[in-house]
Amino acid sequence: MVAILSEVAPRESDVKSPLHAPALHESGLKHTSGEALYVDDLPLLPGTLVGHVIASPHAHARVVRKEARRALALPGVHAVLFAQDIPGVNDVCPVRGVHDEPLLAVDEVHCVGQSVALVVAESAALCRQAAALVEVEYEALPACLSIREALEQGSFLPHWLYPGPHLIRRGEPEAALLAAPVRIQGECMTGAQDHFYLETQASLAVMEEDGAVRLWSSTQHPSEVQEKVAEVLGLGRHQVTVEVPRMGGAFGGKETQAAPFAALAALGARATRRPVKVWLNRDQDMEQTGKRHPFWARYEAGFFEDGRLLALKAELVSDGGWSNDLSHAILDRALFHMDNAYFLPNVEVSGRVARTNQPSNTAFRGFGGPQGMFVVEEVLNRAAERLGLDPAEVRRLNYYHEPSEHRTHYGQLVEGNRLPRIHAELMASSEYARRRAEIDAFNAASRWTKRGIGYQPVKFGISFTTSFLNQAGALVVIYGDGTVQLNHGGTEMGQGLHTKMRAVCAHALGVPAEHVRVMTTATDKVPNTSATAASSGSDLNGQAVKAACEVLRERLRLVAAHLLQVDRAEAQGIVFAGGRVSHPAYPHRSLTFAELTHAAYQAQVSLSATGYYRTPDIGYDRKMGQGKPFHYFAFGGAVVEVEVSGLTGEHRVRRVDILHDVGSSLVPTIDRGQVEGGFIQGLGWLTCEEVLIDAKGRLLTHSPDTYKIPALGDAPEDFRVQLLERAPQDSTIHGSKAVGEPPFMLAIGAVTALRHAVAAFGPPRTEVQLASPATPEAILRAVEAARSVKR
C-alpha cells in the first residue's frame, strides 16, 4: 500500500487551479525562439521529393492538349501528374455528395490558379524548371469576374438540396415599408480579404506499409483531409493518417482548402513511392486559394422619426467563385446575422451565391456574419445621418429587449442578452458623450482634419450551422508517474486552444498544468473530428476533454478511497487538487497524484479514457426559415475614435475601447489576445485590405508589396480591452464563451467613426457615401462628395 503522508492536505480553496487564471500561451516561448515546429520545419526522411502545382493562367478556358515528355526528360524529375493519373475520385469538394471541384482539371479550367498538374522532382528549383517545360494548350472562353456580371448572366451556384434563394421572413415588411415615416434604400458592397496566415499551405506525405499513407498537414480539419486523400487515392480512411503539429495561422483558410494540397502530396508520394512535400510560397498561396466572400446587397428600410427600425427588406449575393466549397453555409450565417443586435419586427432577407471565374472563396473568421452585419449597420448609419441622430442612440433604441422583442427573425430566442449592460458600462467607461461633444467642437474649428467616433455592438451566434458538426472527442492518457498526455480533436493555429484544453484537463485531474502535455492532433488518436472553426474549438473539445478526465477521476477515486481509508460512501468527497489527493474530513491523510496513479496501475486499473460531446437541442429548417441554429450568443461592444485628413483621405485610429463577453474566461490572457487580434483583423478588412484583379481575372494583389494588412502603425494609439465580468454562461465548458470570431465585427465601429468624420466635411445631416474597404482613395472620394452637398 502507498504510504499516506501525515502532513495536512491543502484545502481545495487554497489550491490555485489553472482554470480561469492568466497564463502564457503554451507555445508562446517556442514561437518567439523558433523552436515551434510547423510542417515545413519537420525533419525530412531521406529521398523526400518536392511537389509543385502547375496552375491555370486563364480565368476560363478549354484544355486542348497536355504534354510532359520534355519535363520528364530532365534528370531529377520523377513525375508529372495529370487528372488521368488519379487512382480514385478526382474531387475535393468538402460538401458530401457534391462533386464540383476536381483536384486536377480535366478538360476545362474555371479560374486563374486552378490546379492542372503536379510536378514531382528533387528540388523546388528543378520543379520550376520542369514546370516551364510542361506544355498545356488552352482555348480561352468567356469569363465571369464579378457579382454584377454574374447577376447579368444569371450565373449562380445552386444549393444541392434546396433550389432557389434562401429566404427568411417575419411580419409584413411590404406594408410596414409603405407606412414608414422615413424610408431608406440603396446598395452596399463588402470586399474580399486574403487570410494572409504567416505559414502558407503545406503538406508532407509519406507512404507506409500496405499502401497506407501518413500526412503532416497544416489544416484546421484533419478528418476532412483524411477523407479527401482516401477518396483521391481510392483507399479506406483507415489507411490514411493525418497529423497536425500546429499551424502558423489559418483564420478559416485551412478549413477546406488545405485538403487539395495534402491530396496532391499524397498523390505524388503514391506515384513515386517516395515522401513528397507540397509547400506554396506567398504568391502561389494568394493566387491559388480562396478568400473571404465579397457580398453585394440591395436593401430598403423603414424607420420611425425617432430612429426605431420598422421594416427591412434585403437581398444578398455572395461571390462563391467557381465551385461550392462552403459558400452556402457562409451565406446562411450572413442571413442569420442580418439582425446583428437589433429586433427586426418586419423583415425579409434572401440570399444567393454567384458563380464566377475566381478561385473558390471559402471560410474566413466570422463565416459570413461580418458581411450580413455590415448591411444592417449601413442601414442604421444612414438613418442616423438622415435624421440627425447619434448613431449610438439609434442602435440602443433597436436592441433586442425582453419580454416581447427577444426573438430573432429566424425564430431563436435571444437568451441572456447582455447588450444593454455592455452598452451602459462601455458608454460610461469610454466617456462617449463627453468625447463626442469634444469631437464636434474640434471639427467645427478644423478645416482639413476631422475626427469621428462610433459605437458598435455585436451579437454573434455560436455553433456550426451544419448541425451534425457540433461534436468532438478526446483521449486522455495518465502514466504511472502521474503525468498526462492529452489528445483532442481540435487543432492549434496560434489561437491558444491547446492552452485552454490543458487548463481544463489539469483542473479536472487536479494536477499542475506543466504535468499535462497536449499531443499533436492526429486522426489515429481522435477520429471523425469536426474542423476547428465556428469559434467552437473550446466549447466542443473542452467538454470532450472534461468528460474523459471525469471518467479517469472516478476510476482513481475508488483507488484513492482504499488508500486513504475512506468508506465508499464518503468517496465522493475526495478532492483532487494541487497534485495531491485528500479528503476534507481527514486532513492528515493525503497522497500525491503520482502515488495514486502508480497504485492504480499496480491495481490493474485502466489509466486511459475517451470523452465525447455533442451540442444539444440545435437545428434549423431551411425550407421554413425557422429554427435554433445556435447554442448561445456572444456579445460585445466597441467605441472607436478616428481622425481623417481631408487632403489625402488617410486616417488613423486614435482610441478603441472594447468590452467583450467571454462568459467566465477559461484563460483570460488568451481571450484578451483573441479580442485584440480579431478587432485588428476586422479593421484591416474594412479599411486597408483591398483585393484587386485585372480584366483577365489575374490577381494583382498577390504579395505584401501590393496587399496591405494592418501594420503596427495602424493599431489604435490607445487600445483598451476589458472582458465582461460576472457573466458566466449556462451549459458551456466551465461557464465560458467562444471568442475567436465575435470581436472581428467590433471593427465595424471604425466605419461609423469614419462616417462621422467624413460627414463633418459637409452640412448637417449629410448622408455619407463611403465604399468598403475605406481606403484613403475611398475616404477622399467620400469627403469630396460630402463637400459637394449643398447647405
Side-chain angles (χ1 to χ4, degrees):
M1 178 183 292
V2 174
I4 299 174
L5 302 183
S6 59
E7 65 185 64
V8 177
R11 293 179 301 175
E12 187 174 14
S13 59
D14 294 335
V15 177
K16 288 190 176 181
S17 164
L19 204 62
H20 307 308
L24 291 174
H25 188 291
E26 55 90 29
S27 295
L29 295 177
K30 291 191 282 286
H31 291 160
T32 54
S33 66
E35 295 176 71
L37 293 178
Y38 300 87
V39 170
D40 196 44
D41 299 319
L42 298 175
L44 297 180
L45 292 172
T48 298
L49 302 174
V50 175
H52 174 90
V53 178
I54 295 178
S56 165
H58 298 281
H60 192 199
R62 186 173 293 109
V63 180
V64 177
R65 188 176 68 89
K66 296 175 285 190
E67 177 58 65
R69 281 180 294 182
R70 291 173 61 210
L72 290 169
L74 280 178
V77 175
H78 290 259
V80 178
L81 304 173
F82 296 104
Q84 61 265 29
D85 299 307
I86 294 173
V89 179
N90 182 20
D91 185 80
V92 287
C93 178
V95 181
R96 195 161 299 170
V98 178
H99 302 285
D100 70 342
E101 190 175 341
L103 176 64
L104 294 172
V106 181
D107 52 13
E108 194 171 332
V109 291
H110 300 280
C111 72
V112 174
Q114 184 179 347
S115 299
V116 176
L118 180 74
V119 176
V120 183
E122 298 283 348
S123 69
L126 186 56
C127 278
R128 290 191 293 270
Q129 184 181 353
L133 297 176
V134 175
E135 300 170 24
V136 182
E137 184 179 336
Y138 301 92
E139 178 186 327
L141 297 172
C144 175
L145 299 177
S146 69
I147 292 176
R148 292 196 181 278
E149 290 181 17
L151 288 170
E152 292 169 1
Q153 299 172 20
S155 177
F156 297 99
L157 286 166
H159 194 283
W160 50 98
L161 294 177
Y162 306 103
H166 184 176
L167 178 70
I168 303 174
R169 181 181 171 92
R170 174 169 62 191
E172 298 295 335
E174 294 83 5
L177 284 169
L178 287 173
V182 179
R183 293 177 64 176
I184 293 172
Q185 58 185 7
E187 299 179 3
C188 62
M189 182 87 188
T190 53
Q193 183 181 22
D194 190 87
H195 300 86
F196 215 92
Y197 26 65
L198 288 178
E199 177 204 25
T200 55
Q201 299 280 359
S203 286
L204 171 65
V206 177
M207 295 303 297
E208 297 185 319
E209 293 179 344
D210 302 319
V213 61
R214 181 174 294 270
L215 293 108
W216 289 264
S217 174
S218 181
T219 178
Q220 296 171 244
H221 201 343
S223 289
E224 185 171 275
V225 169
Q226 177 191 34
E227 175 185 351
K228 293 303 165 186
V229 168
E231 291 176 358
V232 166
L233 297 186
L235 301 174
R237 294 185 209 175
H238 68 300
Q239 290 183 286
V240 179
T241 304
V242 178
E243 296 188 35
V244 184
R246 59 170 52 82
M247 286 167 279
F251 311 114
K254 297 174 181 176
E255 182 174 347
T256 63
Q257 300 211 352
F261 303 105
L264 289 170
L267 183 65
R270 180 189 180 277
T272 62
R273 311 305 298 179
R274 301 251 303 258
V276 172
K277 180 163 68 175
V278 173
W279 169 83
L280 303 187
N281 65 33
R282 181 64 61 187
D283 294 79
Q284 291 170 322
D285 193 285
M286 295 183 77
E287 290 169 348
Q288 295 177 28
T289 63
K291 297 168 176 46
R292 181 184 296 280
H293 288 66
F295 266 69
W296 169 85
R298 179 166 49 206
Y299 59 82
E300 185 175 7
F303 287 83
F304 293 108
E305 292 181 348
D306 63 359
R308 285 177 296 145
L309 182 62
L310 178 60
L312 174 66
K313 288 191 72 173
E315 174 191 3
L316 302 185
V317 181
S318 71
D319 184 344
W322 71 277
S323 65
N324 268 282
D325 199 273
L326 299 177
S327 293
H328 285 280
I330 289 164
L331 175 68
D332 292 347
R333 188 174 280 268
L335 294 173
F336 292 148
H337 286 83
M338 284 287 294
D339 60 334
N340 188 18
Y342 318 113
F343 178 73
L344 309 177
N346 299 281
V347 58
E348 180 182 287
V349 292
S350 65
R352 292 179 292 175
V353 180
R355 188 182 195 275
T356 65
N357 294 114
Q358 293 289 323
S360 190
N361 289 315
T362 191
F364 201 132
R365 197 176 202 166
F367 204 78
Q371 296 96 314
M373 286 187 193
F374 186 92
V375 179
V376 72
E377 300 300 340
E378 172 91 357
V379 168
L380 292 179
N381 279 331
R382 285 195 57 196
E385 290 162 0
R386 181 174 298 186
L387 295 168
L389 301 173
D390 181 348
E393 179 60 15
V394 172
R395 286 172 167 81
R396 187 192 66 80
L397 285 172
N398 287 289
Y399 285 158
Y400 281 100
H401 291 287
E402 295 183 356
S404 58
E405 297 179 344
H406 66 307
R407 192 177 291 273
T408 66
H409 54 302
Y410 48 88
Q412 178 165 349
L413 286 174
V414 181
E415 299 175 297
N417 182 7
R418 292 165 182 170
L419 286 169
R421 177 188 165 191
I422 289 172
H423 183 104
E425 290 185 17
L426 191 54
M427 284 286 142
S429 65
S430 68
E431 299 181 289
Y432 176 90
R434 176 188 63 78
R435 290 166 58 200
R436 185 174 177 88
E438 290 177 353
I439 286 170
D440 288 340
F442 173 88
N443 290 342
S446 175
R447 181 179 181 185
W448 301 112
T449 301
K450 307 288 185 182
R451 292 176 182 171
I453 193 168
Y455 175 74
Q456 181 59 47
V458 162
K459 172 187 69 65
F460 190 79
I462 303 299
S463 287
F464 287 100
T465 53
T466 302
S467 297
F468 74 85
L469 295 175
N470 293 287
Q471 58 178 303
L475 168 65
V476 178
V477 178
I478 303 176
Y479 292 94
D481 65 352
T483 60
V484 181
Q485 285 188 350
L486 167 60
N487 302 270
H488 63 87
T491 56
E492 176 63 46
M493 60 198 86
Q495 85 280 36
L497 177 62
H498 283 356
T499 307
K500 290 184 173 184
M501 296 304 96
R502 185 170 69 167
V504 169
C505 179
H507 174 81
L509 297 177
V511 300
E514 56 268 23
H515 288 186
V516 178
R517 180 187 176 195
V518 185
M519 306 304 291
T520 293
T521 307
T523 57
D524 59 352
K525 300 296 190 298
V526 182
N528 307 315
T529 58
S530 296
T532 305
S535 301
S536 63
S538 293
D539 283 8
L540 298 175
N541 293 286
Q543 295 280 27
V545 169
K546 179 172 176 282
C549 290
E550 287 174 345
V551 170
L552 290 166
R553 195 177 63 209
E554 293 312 303
R555 290 179 194 162
L556 291 170
R557 189 183 301 278
L558 297 178
V559 179
H562 173 68
L563 296 173
L564 295 172
Q565 301 172 21
V566 172
D567 292 337
R568 285 201 170 209
E570 297 179 291
Q572 285 304 312
I574 292 175
V575 173
F576 295 73
R580 302 195 68 84
V581 183
S582 61
H583 195 292
Y586 308 99
H588 292 283
R589 304 178 193 173
S590 74
L591 63 157
T592 67
F593 187 75
E595 289 169 336
L596 174 60
T597 55
H598 180 69
Y601 166 69
Q602 290 187 321
Q604 298 175 301
V605 174
S606 172
L607 293 176
S608 67
T610 59
Y612 178 78
Y613 174 77
R614 62 183 292 272
T615 306
D617 304 322
I618 54 175
Y620 177 73
D621 186 331
R622 193 178 189 274
K623 286 184 178 179
M624 298 296 294
Q626 294 288 294
K628 184 190 175 186
F630 304 117
H631 188 40
Y632 63 87
F633 295 101
F635 303 96
V639 173
V640 184
E641 182 181 337
V642 301
E643 185 173 274
V644 168
S645 167
L647 297 174
T648 66
E650 294 173 294
H651 79 277
R652 61 190 177 106
V653 182
R654 288 171 48 84
R655 176 174 162 181
V656 171
D657 296 71
I658 291 175
L659 182 59
H660 197 73
D661 167 30
V662 297
S664 296
S665 174
L666 294 176
V667 183
T669 44
I670 295 296
D671 285 346
R672 182 187 173 104
Q674 285 293 290
V675 173
E676 293 172 351
F679 179 87
I680 295 296
Q681 192 171 52
L683 190 67
W685 174 55
L686 293 163
T687 63
C688 63
E689 297 185 47
E690 188 171 24
V691 176
L692 299 172
I693 61 171
D694 67 14
K696 294 186 177 180
R698 296 174 298 201
L699 185 66
L700 297 173
T701 49
H702 52 77
S703 64
D705 61 344
T706 51
Y707 185 77
K708 301 300 182 183
I709 65 171
L712 183 61
D714 299 304
E717 299 171 0
D718 186 350
F719 201 3
R720 309 182 188 194
V721 175
Q722 294 294 324
L723 305 181
L724 189 67
E725 297 179 349
R726 305 178 308 281
Q729 174 66 29
D730 293 336
S731 70
T732 62
I733 181 68
H734 293 298
S736 65
K737 278 189 172 184
V739 71
E741 292 171 297
F744 183 96
M745 281 70 76
L746 293 174
I748 300 176
V751 176
T752 301
L754 288 169
R755 293 178 72 102
H756 183 203
V758 170
F761 287 98
R765 301 197 179 194
T766 294
E767 289 188 43
V768 174
Q769 303 171 35
L770 180 61
S772 183
T775 60
E777 297 90 339
I779 292 174
L780 194 58
R781 286 192 291 268
V783 168
E784 291 303 315
R787 284 178 174 148
S788 67
V789 175
K790 294 181 179 179
R791 298 181 184 271

